[in-house]
Amino acid sequence: MARKALAGRMLRSLSRLWRDDAQTEQVRRILVRTLYTQPASLAIGAFNGVVSTLLVAMLSGSQALSICCGVLTMIAIARVTAAVGLSPDDELQSTKRLELIYEAGAFSYAFLLGLIAALTLLLEVGAELEVLMMANAMCYGVGICARNAGRPTIALGQLTLVTLPILVACIYIASLPYLFLAVTMILLLPAMASITLNVFKVLRDSIAAAEASQLMAEQMRTLARTDVVTGLINRAGLNQDIVDKMMALPDGQTLALFWMDLDRFKEVNDLLGHPVGDRVLLETANRLKEVVPPGATVARFGGDEFIVIAEVEDRKASERLASEIHAEIMRPMRINGERMEVGASIGVALMPEDGIDADTLMQSADLALYHAKVNGRKQTRFYDATMSRDLVRRREIEAELRAAILKDELSIFFQPIVDLETGKIRSFEALVRWFHPRKGELKPDEFIPVAEETGVIVTLGNWITARAAKAAAQWPDDVTLAVNLSPLQIRAPGASLGILNALREAKLPPHRLELEVTESLFLDDHAATEAFIADLTEAGVKFALDDFGTGYSSLAYIHKYPFSKVKIDRSFVSGPDVGAKSDAIIRAVAELGSKLEMDIVAEGIETIEQVRVVREAGCTLGQGYHFSRAVPDYLATMLLAQERSDGDEQRATA
């Protein structure tokens, strides 16, 4: 009864292990692969069995043993051939087929080896030969349990088949020693089964754990390379993908890299919320996946930037694809029932024309994208060599500008702002000038954008304010100073404190400083902007809205912020489209300024006729070449002195 219970538990354990193993095909495949590993050990065992049976057959002279020896030899040769010829790594070979082939050879060899051992006992061929075959058969049965523990049914099946004929022979002979041998073999079966099943469980669990770890690692690798919002590959995935595509690029083919940036996407997030912004990004990603050719890579590089990498035949093909991509992105979207139009700028670089490695190609596309945005957005630009030369020049200007600030090579010039009614100077606008020791005068249009791009504008802006304040402190108390500020300078940490320190060092009262800002400052609705304006307004500094009429919501800005002055952009005064419409706009703005008790400055006045027009329209102040160009501080002082002298003469005459 105990033996039956033990056998039942073994069968149930084996059945459970088989079912668990069958649940994971990958684990089963690995376990079957262990049967075919180290075919040398299989060949050694086969050789030993064949030689042993051949020796027994020859010495015994038994025809039956000779026939069995011949069959065993053929089975051994077939097994070794199959072990060497069949590859478990070959995906064309099914796991079940590999297992069945091994089973057929293993079971037939084991049974035949056990049968030969049993025949030696029954035929009484001699004690030496009987010991040889018994030892050979039993050692094979025990050893095979360890070798084939990865498939316990095969291992235990071989042990059973090799011992069964011997067990039958022992019972048939029925002598006391043979009966005891039979009992010993019966006890051997559950003992070896327990050991084999334990080895199998450890082996199976180790393989399953390794597989789970590998699967988790692959999932984490996939997550690390995937953008969570769009499902596209991210920057990490792109870096690997672009290298792979470059390595696999066929001769004669071109690799095109399209780098696109959604125009003013931050406004979508700020006005409609980040969930809507994510929907826009997802819709853009889906459109890109639909329009690109098969095999192309679509990635979200970060923020509102996307990159497409595709093989194309030539430059014309890349131009057609760029046009299709741009048209698809520019097509209106419908998000939450609302129609939205999201523009995009695209920069394109080609390999090998614009770069032969990933870094160069991406740098070229980035430069092309930069020029697309600088030149008005909503356009596609292909890289050309002049863009790199422009970049080199900007870097050169940046380095020289930093040095110029330290070496005091920059100068502050002042352009008067005149009262249109009295003709007197009410204020001076401070303008920076750079007289390079080798290149001569560099225009602000050349170095101010570079300063803003690189962050040098913060240092430059503080320097301008400090220098201009020192000059303005020498002017009459009723003449104010106007200084332009960059948005980057305003958002820099401690910006308001820097302005107040400059005024304190120059001993210029805060109410005599007027900071000019453009509408672009308010597009980002930055909290630092509001804090900056609030701090300086409280201290007495005034603010003016510059370039009015060229932005988006100027009336809202005028209503929200404490502006004391509005400057009408020169395009309405002396631009090419000046006429009845521009005059009407000036008149409307001037009337608005009158109602709000703000001064209205007309910029760009060049003729006496323009003076008359803007004055009749209601402008209170004027600025432009008609009155004076920007002049050094000493000439500004002379202009004020001359004005005061003329005023004294007029009063004396009166």
Side-chain angles (χ1 to χ4, degrees), residues 361-654:
L361 191 65
M362 293 189 69
Q363 184 183 31
S364 299
D366 190 22
L367 275 173
L369 174 62
Y370 168 80
H371 281 78
K373 292 190 292 187
V374 167
N375 293 335
R377 301 181 183 272
K378 294 185 179 180
Q379 58 181 275
T380 298
R381 287 293 302 272
F382 278 71
Y383 172 81
D384 62 65
T386 60
M387 295 178 181
S388 291
R389 290 195 291 270
D390 290 343
L391 176 63
V392 171
R393 176 168 174 77
R394 290 200 302 272
R395 297 283 166 80
E396 182 182 335
I397 289 176
E398 176 191 357
E400 292 181 342
L401 181 57
R402 293 182 187 275
I405 296 174
L406 295 175
K407 296 177 182 178
D408 205 20
E409 293 179 358
L410 302 177
S411 303
I412 304 297
F413 278 46
F414 299 89
Q415 186 173 32
I417 299 175
V418 177
D419 189 318
L420 294 178
E421 189 65 33
T422 64
K424 291 185 177 181
I425 297 174
R426 290 267 301 274
S427 180
F428 279 99
E429 180 179 355
L431 302 171
V432 65
R433 293 292 184 265
W434 184 6
F435 297 97
H436 195 280
R438 291 183 293 102
K439 300 175 182 178
E441 182 178 1
L442 296 180
K443 297 180 180 179
D445 292 345
E446 293 184 72
F447 63 87
I448 293 297
V450 175
E452 290 181 334
E453 290 175 19
T454 58
V456 181
I457 192 66
V458 176
T459 303
L460 178 61
N462 291 336
W463 181 87
I464 292 172
T465 303
R467 281 299 184 90
K470 288 181 180 179
Q474 311 303 317
W475 302 337
D477 293 341
D478 59 340
V479 179
T480 61
L481 169 68
V483 178
N484 286 286
L485 291 186
S486 166
L488 292 177
Q489 182 184 356
I490 293 174
R491 293 168 190 153
S496 59
L497 185 61
I499 298 292
L500 294 176
N501 286 339
L503 293 175
R504 190 178 302 109
E505 291 180 5
K507 298 180 180 180
L508 183 70
H511 72 271
R512 292 185 58 195
L513 176 63
E514 194 168 62
L515 299 177
E516 297 184 358
V517 297
T518 60
E519 293 164 329
S520 61
L521 171 66
F522 307 105
L523 290 179
D524 292 337
D525 197 21
H526 205 288
T529 301
E530 294 188 7
F532 176 85
I533 293 177
D535 290 345
L536 292 183
T537 299
E538 184 178 355
V541 177
K542 299 178 181 179
F543 285 86
L545 182 60
D546 199 9
D547 298 335
F548 183 84
T550 59
Y552 297 90
S553 304
S554 299
L555 295 180
Y557 302 146
I558 292 174
H559 175 72
K560 183 176 181 179
Y561 297 102
F563 292 114
S564 61
K565 184 182 295 181
V566 173
K567 302 183 74 173
I568 298 176
D569 187 71
R570 64 178 62 249
S571 60
F572 294 98
V573 178
S574 56
D577 298 323
V578 170
K581 289 184 179 180
S582 60
D583 291 347
I585 292 173
I586 295 173
R587 193 175 301 276
V589 175
E591 184 175 354
L592 176 66
S594 176
K595 297 290 185 183
L596 298 177
E597 297 181 351
M598 291 188 300
D599 284 324
I600 304 299
V601 183
E603 295 185 287
I605 296 177
E606 298 178 357
T607 65
I608 188 63
E609 177 61 22
Q610 292 168 357
V611 173
R612 184 189 61 79
V613 170
V614 298
R615 184 169 56 202
E616 291 179 357
C619 294
T620 54
L621 302 173
Q623 179 180 1
Y625 289 167
H626 173 72
F627 302 109
S628 173
R629 294 178 177 271
V631 296
D633 55 349
Y634 69 90
L635 288 181
T637 303
M638 290 178 60
L639 287 176
L640 291 173
Q642 180 65 39
E643 184 179 85
R644 294 301 186 270
S645 175
D646 293 343
D648 292 342
E649 290 181 3
Q650 290 178 2
R651 285 192 293 273
T653 303

Side-chain angles (χ1 to χ4, degrees), residues 15 47 92 118 191 219 323 349 456 531 603 638:
S15 176
F47 176 78
L92 297 178
Q219 290 175 342
S323 178
V456 181
E603 295 185 287
M638 290 178 60

